[in-house]
Amino acid sequence: MQAPWIDTHAHLYLTASYAMFRGHLHQEEVEQFFDYTAMALQRAEQQHDVVIMEQSLFQQARLKTKVRQAVDRAIENRTVQIYLQPLYGTQERRIIGAEVLARIYDEKLGLIRPDFFITAAERSGTITKIGEQVFEKTCLFLNEHPLQELGLKRLNVNLSPIQCRDIHMAERICRIAQHHHIPLRSFCFEITESALSYEARLQQNIDMLMAQGATISLDDFGTGYSNLMRVLKFPFEDVKLDMTFVRAYFDHTNKLLPAIIDGFQSFGVQITAEGVENKQMADTLTKLGCRILQGFYFAKPLPLDDFLHYLKTTTPKVSSTID
């Protein structure tokens, strides 16, 4: 293992991880054993040591299995819910849109954390079905509540990296929108940076969506291997700064935020800042040039009825003296 396996065109380095299982499997645990083993080997790789497969590890694997089953039930029963989190326009000084977020409530598990069910869906390959169900329910919402009546410019919809890898993704999105008679200009599609590695297929999907009037945003900038020039190869109208990147500036642990904002603005790309928690953050980010703000200072993700009520009752929360 210390030396590479040598082929004509490549040197291949192999590693090994070891997990030790002790005890007996109950009949109902057999189908979960692969999840159990995969989790143990993943931990062994991280720790560079042999992992003893203890009961606590099995409990984690059992939860993952239950979450995956809950995701399958939600897809089959079409019970994936959509929540909306407001987007505040700093120039308009009002709520101008919302991000559409998926939520799953299961009768057995209750409300499942998004990071749990999204990870499970990505591993099982069902994330595409969730994405399309969310988009269709968003179209149904706009049929009842058109953007113009809500006073909004757009809704932001997330596309997973796995969806972006699918060469027919944009075609299916367009078909759903056309079926419900919703123009694609009503949407901004958010793409995470990890999707940029599928450059040719992603560009083809982006071209089709933009040809129908949609806009494209880069989500969670600042969390991965962020590269300004790589991002600028794509026609992003907006770049959304991840909340950890934004909060690091206010915690005085990262001073790059103003330079990043200036850099994107010099190329005509507008900035959305996530994780806005208070008025000081909102005012400062507005002064730095962020065009859109999102966070708990304005509102948490809301069920549809609560979001409609929010739009009717909310007042601007950023000082009107900011130029």
Side-chain angles (χ1 to χ4, degrees):
M1 293 299 217
Q2 294 179 348
W5 292 59
I6 301 174
D7 191 13
T8 307
H9 304 290
H11 287 200
L12 179 63
Y13 287 86
L14 301 179
T15 59
S17 299
Y18 298 91
M20 182 183 297
F21 175 71
R22 291 173 176 166
H24 301 280
L25 283 175
H26 300 292
Q27 184 174 355
E28 65 273 12
E29 295 174 337
V30 173
E31 63 181 88
Q32 301 168 12
F33 188 70
F34 289 110
D35 287 339
Y36 185 26
T37 306
M39 182 177 293
L41 290 174
Q42 183 180 25
R43 184 174 296 184
E45 184 177 3
Q46 293 169 348
Q47 297 177 356
H48 304 289
D49 199 357
V50 177
V51 167
I52 305 299
M53 298 164 70
E54 299 172 345
Q55 190 62 30
S56 61
L57 199 63
F58 205 1
Q59 290 171 353
Q60 294 178 42
R62 187 182 295 114
L63 176 60
K64 284 192 173 184
T65 300
K66 290 180 178 179
V67 169
R68 188 178 67 244
Q69 292 169 345
V71 169
D72 291 342
R73 285 194 295 271
I75 292 171
E76 182 178 356
N77 299 328
R78 299 192 61 78
T79 55
V80 178
Q81 302 175 29
I82 60 172
Y83 279 44
L84 298 176
Q85 185 170 28
L87 300 173
Y88 178 88
T90 58
Q91 293 186 339
E92 299 84 354
R93 292 171 178 163
R94 64 179 179 86
I95 301 301
I96 61 171
E99 180 180 359
V100 181
L101 298 165
R103 295 291 184 266
I104 291 179
Y105 181 86
D106 185 72
E107 291 184 358
K108 297 180 180 179
L109 299 181
L111 188 64
I112 305 174
R113 283 175 41 179
D115 55 334
F116 279 15
F117 74 74
I118 289 173
T119 299
E122 286 177 340
R123 287 179 175 173
S124 66
T126 56
I127 190 68
T128 295
K129 293 182 179 179
I130 288 180
E132 292 177 2
Q133 189 174 140
V134 165
F135 184 64
E136 184 162 20
K137 290 192 173 184
T138 304
C139 290
L140 290 170
F141 172 75
L142 290 181
N143 270 332
E144 295 185 23
H145 307 281
L147 285 177
Q148 188 174 2
E149 292 182 10
L150 297 175
L152 304 180
K153 293 184 175 181
R154 68 188 191 189
L155 294 183
N156 287 26
V157 176
N158 292 283
L159 298 175
S160 76
I162 294 176
Q163 282 180 280
C164 295
R165 195 191 309 176
D166 185 347
I167 199 170
H168 300 294
M169 180 269 291
E171 180 182 337
R172 289 198 294 272
I173 291 291
C174 291
R175 191 182 306 127
I176 292 171
Q178 291 168 1
H179 176 75
H180 294 285
H181 308 289
I182 303 296
L184 225 61
R185 65 176 178 273
S186 305
F187 303 104
C188 174
F189 292 99
E190 297 188 11
I191 296 169
T192 57
E193 194 174 357
S194 58
L196 304 188
S197 57
Y198 312 110
E199 186 171 335
R201 280 173 282 182
L202 177 60
Q203 188 64 61
Q204 184 173 338
N205 279 317
I206 287 176
D207 290 345
M208 180 175 291
L209 294 173
M210 292 184 65
Q212 297 297 318
T215 55
I216 309 296
S217 171
L218 180 68
D219 193 16
D220 295 336
F221 184 85
T223 57
Y225 298 99
S226 301
N227 183 306
L228 183 62
M229 299 312 297
R230 182 188 186 191
V231 169
L232 292 172
K233 291 174 63 178
F234 295 89
F236 293 118
E237 178 184 281
D238 176 272
V239 167
K240 181 180 282 189
L241 303 177
D242 184 74
M243 65 179 65
T244 57
F245 189 71
V246 172
R247 290 170 184 169
Y249 176 75
F250 289 93
D251 292 339
H252 308 291
T253 57
N254 190 333
K255 298 181 180 180
L256 288 175
L257 186 66
I260 292 295
I261 294 172
D262 288 343
F264 278 117
Q265 287 180 332
S266 68
F267 287 95
V269 179
Q270 70 179 20
I271 295 294
T272 295
E274 286 186 304
V276 182
E277 297 178 342
N278 54 54
K279 187 177 187 300
Q280 183 224 345
M281 293 179 70
D283 288 348
T284 301
L285 291 165
T286 300
K287 290 177 181 178
L288 288 174
C290 294
R291 292 284 302 277
I292 300 175
L293 304 179
Q294 180 179 359
F296 282 13
Y297 176 61
F298 300 99
K300 64 181 181 180
L302 300 168
L304 298 183
D305 289 342
D306 291 353
F307 177 76
L308 294 172
H309 178 73
Y310 172 87
L311 290 180
K312 293 178 181 178
T313 59
T314 188
T315 55
K317 301 180 72 172
V318 176
S319 172
S320 59
T321 62
I322 295 177
D323 295 323

Coordinates of all heavy atoms in Angstrom, one line a residue, residues 1-2 4 12 79 84 100-101 123 131 145 152 170-171 180 194 201 228 251 261 265 267 280 289-290 311 318:
M1 N 0.8 -1.2 0.0 CA 0.0 0.0 0.0 C 0.9 1.3 0.0 O 0.4 2.3 -0.3 CB -0.9 0.0 1.2 CG -2.0 -1.0 1.2 SD -3.1 -0.9 -0.2 CE -4.6 -1.4 0.6
Q2 N 2.1 1.1 0.4 CA 3.0 2.3 0.4 C 3.5 2.7 -1.0 O 3.9 3.9 -1.1 CB 4.1 2.1 1.4 CG 3.7 1.9 2.8 CD 4.9 1.6 3.7 OE1 6.0 1.3 3.3 NE2 4.6 1.7 5.0
P4 N 2.8 2.9 -5.3 CA 1.7 3.0 -6.2 C 1.6 1.8 -7.1 O 2.6 1.1 -7.3 CB 2.0 4.2 -7.0 CG 3.5 4.3 -7.0 CD 3.9 3.8 -5.7
L12 N -1.5 4.7 -9.4 CA -2.7 4.6 -8.6 C -2.3 4.3 -7.2 O -1.6 3.2 -6.9 CB -3.6 3.5 -9.1 CG -4.9 3.3 -8.4 CD1 -5.8 4.5 -8.4 CD2 -5.7 2.1 -8.9
T79 N -45.5 14.6 -0.2 CA -45.7 15.4 1.0 C -44.5 16.3 1.3 O -44.4 16.8 2.4 CB -46.0 14.5 2.2 OG1 -44.9 13.5 2.3 CG2 -47.3 13.7 2.0
L84 N -40.8 29.4 2.6 CA -40.2 30.6 1.9 C -39.5 31.4 2.9 O -40.1 31.8 3.9 CB -41.3 31.4 1.2 CG -42.1 30.6 0.0 CD1 -43.2 31.5 -0.5 CD2 -41.2 30.2 -1.1
V100 N -37.0 29.5 -1.9 CA -37.9 28.3 -1.7 C -37.0 27.2 -1.1 O -36.0 26.8 -1.6 CB -38.5 27.8 -3.1 CG1 -39.4 26.6 -2.8 CG2 -39.2 28.9 -3.8
L101 N -37.5 26.7 0.0 CA -36.7 25.7 0.8 C -37.6 24.4 1.0 O -38.8 24.6 1.4 CB -36.3 26.2 2.1 CG -35.3 27.4 2.0 CD1 -35.2 28.2 3.3 CD2 -34.0 27.0 1.5
R123 N -27.4 10.8 -1.4 CA -26.8 9.4 -1.4 C -27.6 8.4 -2.1 O -27.1 7.5 -2.8 CB -26.5 9.0 0.0 CG -25.3 9.8 0.6 CD -25.1 9.4 2.1 NE -23.9 10.0 2.6 CZ -23.6 9.9 3.9 NH1 -24.3 9.2 4.8 NH2 -22.5 10.6 4.4
G131 N -36.2 17.8 -5.9 CA -36.1 19.1 -6.5 C -37.3 19.4 -7.5 O -37.8 20.5 -7.5
H145 N -51.0 32.7 -6.3 CA -50.5 34.0 -5.8 C -49.4 34.5 -6.7 O -48.2 34.3 -6.5 CB -49.9 33.8 -4.4 CG -50.9 33.2 -3.4 ND1 -51.9 33.8 -2.8 CD2 -51.0 31.9 -2.9 CE1 -52.6 33.0 -2.0 NE2 -52.0 31.8 -2.1
L152 N -43.5 40.9 -5.4 CA -42.2 40.3 -5.5 C -41.7 40.3 -6.9 O -42.4 40.3 -7.9 CB -42.2 38.9 -4.9 CG -42.8 38.7 -3.5 CD1 -42.8 37.2 -3.1 CD2 -42.0 39.5 -2.5
A170 N -32.7 20.9 -17.3 CA -33.4 22.1 -17.7 C -34.6 21.9 -18.5 O -35.6 22.6 -18.4 CB -32.4 23.0 -18.4
E171 N -34.5 20.8 -19.3 CA -35.7 20.5 -20.2 C -36.9 20.1 -19.3 O -38.0 20.5 -19.5 CB -35.3 19.3 -21.1 CG -36.4 18.8 -22.0 CD -35.9 17.6 -22.8 OE1 -34.7 17.4 -23.0 OE2 -36.8 16.8 -23.2
H180 N -47.7 24.4 -16.0 CA -48.5 25.2 -15.0 C -48.6 26.7 -15.4 O -49.1 27.5 -14.7 CB -47.8 25.1 -13.6 CG -47.9 23.8 -13.0 ND1 -49.1 23.3 -12.5 CD2 -47.0 22.8 -12.9 CE1 -48.8 22.0 -12.0 NE2 -47.6 21.7 -12.2
S194 N -20.0 23.4 -6.1 CA -19.6 22.0 -6.4 C -20.1 21.6 -7.8 O -19.6 20.7 -8.4 CB -20.0 21.0 -5.3 OG -21.4 21.0 -5.1
R201 N -22.1 20.1 -19.1 CA -23.5 19.9 -18.9 C -24.2 21.0 -18.1 O -25.3 21.4 -18.4 CB -23.7 18.6 -18.1 CG -23.5 17.3 -19.0 CD -23.5 16.0 -18.1 NE -22.2 15.8 -17.5 CZ -21.9 14.8 -16.8 NH1 -22.8 13.8 -16.6 NH2 -20.7 14.6 -16.3
L228 N -12.6 33.0 -7.8 CA -13.3 34.1 -8.5 C -13.4 34.0 -10.0 O -14.4 34.1 -10.6 CB -12.7 35.5 -8.1 CG -13.3 36.7 -8.6 CD1 -14.8 36.9 -8.1 CD2 -12.5 38.0 -8.3
D251 N -17.2 38.8 13.1 CA -16.5 38.2 14.2 C -15.0 38.6 14.2 O -14.2 38.2 15.1 CB -16.6 36.7 14.2 CG -17.9 36.2 14.5 OD1 -18.8 36.9 15.1 OD2 -18.2 35.0 14.2
I261 N -16.8 41.5 -2.3 CA -17.9 42.3 -2.8 C -17.5 43.2 -3.9 O -18.1 43.2 -5.0 CB -18.6 43.0 -1.7 CG1 -19.3 42.1 -0.7 CG2 -19.7 44.0 -2.2 CD1 -19.8 42.7 0.6
Q265 N -18.6 43.0 -7.9 CA -19.3 44.2 -8.5 C -18.6 44.8 -9.6 O -19.2 45.3 -10.6 CB -19.5 45.2 -7.4 CG -20.6 44.9 -6.3 CD -20.7 45.9 -5.3 OE1 -19.8 46.6 -4.9 NE2 -21.9 46.0 -4.7
F267 N -17.3 43.3 -11.9 CA -17.7 42.5 -13.1 C -19.2 42.5 -13.3 O -19.7 41.7 -14.2 CB -17.2 41.0 -12.9 CG -15.7 40.8 -13.1 CD1 -14.9 40.8 -11.9 CD2 -15.1 40.7 -14.3 CE1 -13.5 40.6 -12.1 CE2 -13.7 40.5 -14.5 CZ -12.9 40.5 -13.3
Q280 N -27.3 45.9 12.9 CA -26.0 46.3 12.6 C -25.4 45.6 11.3 O -24.8 46.2 10.5 CB -25.0 46.1 13.8 CG -23.6 46.6 13.6 CD -22.6 45.6 14.0 OE1 -22.9 44.7 14.8 NE2 -21.3 45.8 13.6
G289 N -22.4 47.4 -0.1 CA -22.8 47.2 -1.5 C -23.6 46.0 -1.8 O -23.9 45.7 -3.0
C290 N -24.0 45.2 -0.8 CA -24.8 44.0 -1.0 C -26.2 44.4 -1.5 O -26.9 45.3 -0.8 CB -25.0 43.2 0.3 SG -23.4 42.4 0.8
L311 N -45.9 39.1 4.5 CA -45.8 40.1 3.4 C -46.8 41.2 3.7 O -46.6 42.4 3.4 CB -46.1 39.5 2.0 CG -45.0 38.6 1.5 CD1 -45.4 38.1 0.1 CD2 -43.7 39.3 1.4
V318 N -34.4 48.0 7.7 CA -33.1 48.6 7.5 C -33.4 50.1 7.5 O -34.3 50.6 6.9 CB -32.5 48.1 6.2 CG1 -31.2 48.8 6.0 CG2 -32.2 46.6 6.3

